[in-house]
Amino acid sequence: KNQVEQSPQSLIILEGKNCTLQCNYTVSPFSNLRWYKQDTGRGPVSLTIMTFSENTKSNGRYTATLDADTKQSSLHITASQLSDSASYICVVSFSGTYKYIFGTGTRLKVLA
Amino acid sequence: NAGVMQNPRHLVRRRGQEARLRCSPMKGHSHVYWYRQLPEEGLKFMVYLQKENIIDESGMPKERFSAEFPKEGPSILRIQQVVRGDSAAYFCASSPIPPGATNEKLFFGSGTQLSVL
């Protein structure tokens, strides 16, 4: 069954700290993996897109890694800010199609 | 260039009524997708449309749900005779390029929260 699982479900950290979010997937055949940020009451916004041949992709303080062999990805946030408080969603697409499988997200709360 | 616009943001309907959700894609985007998000669940694909054509509606219930993307005007997701289980956030996304491209990026609207009483 094609699934995307994220952990932890929720996370609370202090401002300025780093954190890492995990994503495991069983989607096959795999095309690409995306991380989205979703603020409460808003639509998801793309952070990174990686194909199977890419190991890492950065976008400012966000760095995503991908291990296509183990089917795992992580999103690392450095020097967290209050505005990083949001849900972070891992999305995996099937090869050659527009069908995306969305994870349920990790809810991150950054405290002052 | 305004983003993907969805309205209304919140919609309250009684059981049996009709719900109409609108989505105006970004300028120049001819590919529109609708997703549904239930509480504590990930977004689920419903339907993919190009201008005037439904390409894939495999994620949409066959009964009561319909979608269109006319030549002029916004895309409409229509739910007839709503039931409590239809309560969810409905998101629209648009893209300027055909699906399946590695660099395809979806731009999402802020969603419509449908509540059925």
Side-chain angles (χ1 to χ4, degrees):
Chain A
K1 186 179 178 185
N2 293 302
Q3 283 185 310
V4 175
E5 295 184 349
Q6 293 187 242
S7 63
Q9 213 171 19
S10 60
L11 183 62
I12 300 175
I13 61 173
L14 292 176
E15 188 178 16
K17 298 296 185 184
N18 303 335
C19 67
T20 300
L21 315 180
Q22 301 291 344
C23 172
N24 295 335
Y25 63 92
T26 58
V27 176
S28 182
F30 169 83
S31 175
N32 57 70
L33 184 146
R34 301 146 187 260
W35 282 93
Y36 281 85
K37 178 186 178 187
Q38 184 176 20
D39 292 309
T40 301
R42 314 294 291 184
V45 175
S46 178
L47 294 176
T48 62
I49 302 173
M50 288 185 293
T51 65
F52 67 90
S53 61
E54 295 176 292
N55 300 115
T56 185
K57 186 73 74 81
S58 289
N59 178 1
R61 295 179 296 103
Y62 301 102
T63 299
T65 64
L66 173 64
D67 185 335
D69 292 330
T70 61
K71 299 188 177 179
Q72 296 180 323
S73 176
S74 64
L75 180 69
H76 187 74
I77 305 174
T78 57
S80 61
Q81 300 175 357
L82 297 178
S83 59
D84 291 332
S85 295
S87 283
Y88 291 85
I89 304 171
C90 176
V91 185
V92 181
S93 70
F94 291 92
S95 180
T97 79
Y98 49 83
K99 295 286 178 68
Y100 298 101
I101 306 294
F102 286 75
T104 55
T106 292
R107 264 192 295 280
L108 174 66
K109 184 138 182 82
V110 181
L111 301 178
Chain B
N1 189 2
V4 178
M5 304 298 291
Q6 287 190 250
N7 65 81
R9 287 297 309 275
H10 302 274
L11 182 61
V12 179
R13 285 288 178 266
R14 296 191 180 281
R15 281 180 296 168
Q17 292 185 317
E18 178 180 288
R20 276 181 174 248
L21 288 61
R22 293 175 189 76
C23 168
S24 295
M26 290 181 70
K27 188 176 181 181
H29 290 199
S30 59
H31 306 271
V32 167
Y33 307 80
W34 284 93
Y35 293 87
R36 177 162 65 177
Q37 186 175 33
L38 295 169
E40 309 301 322
E41 293 189 15
L43 277 74
K44 296 283 197 300
F45 168 80
M46 296 183 74
V47 61
Y48 161 46
L49 311 103
Q50 288 184 30
K51 276 292 187 183
E52 299 184 87
N53 292 305
I54 297 174
I55 307 301
D56 182 350
E57 55 184 350
S58 60
M60 201 160 63
K62 291 191 172 21
E63 307 283 332
R64 303 185 298 108
F65 285 73
S66 63
E68 63 177 14
F69 188 15
K71 188 176 179 182
E72 301 289 340
S75 175
I76 305 287
L77 179 66
R78 183 180 175 211
I79 312 173
Q80 295 178 290
Q81 299 175 324
V82 295
V83 300
R84 289 226 173 95
D86 296 334
S87 296
Y90 291 83
F91 289 94
C92 166
S94 73
S95 173
I97 61 177
T102 301
N103 61 341
E104 179 196 18
K105 189 183 286 188
L106 293 182
F107 295 83
F108 285 84
S110 295
T112 292
Q113 181 65 51
L114 173 65
S115 298
V116 180
L117 304 179

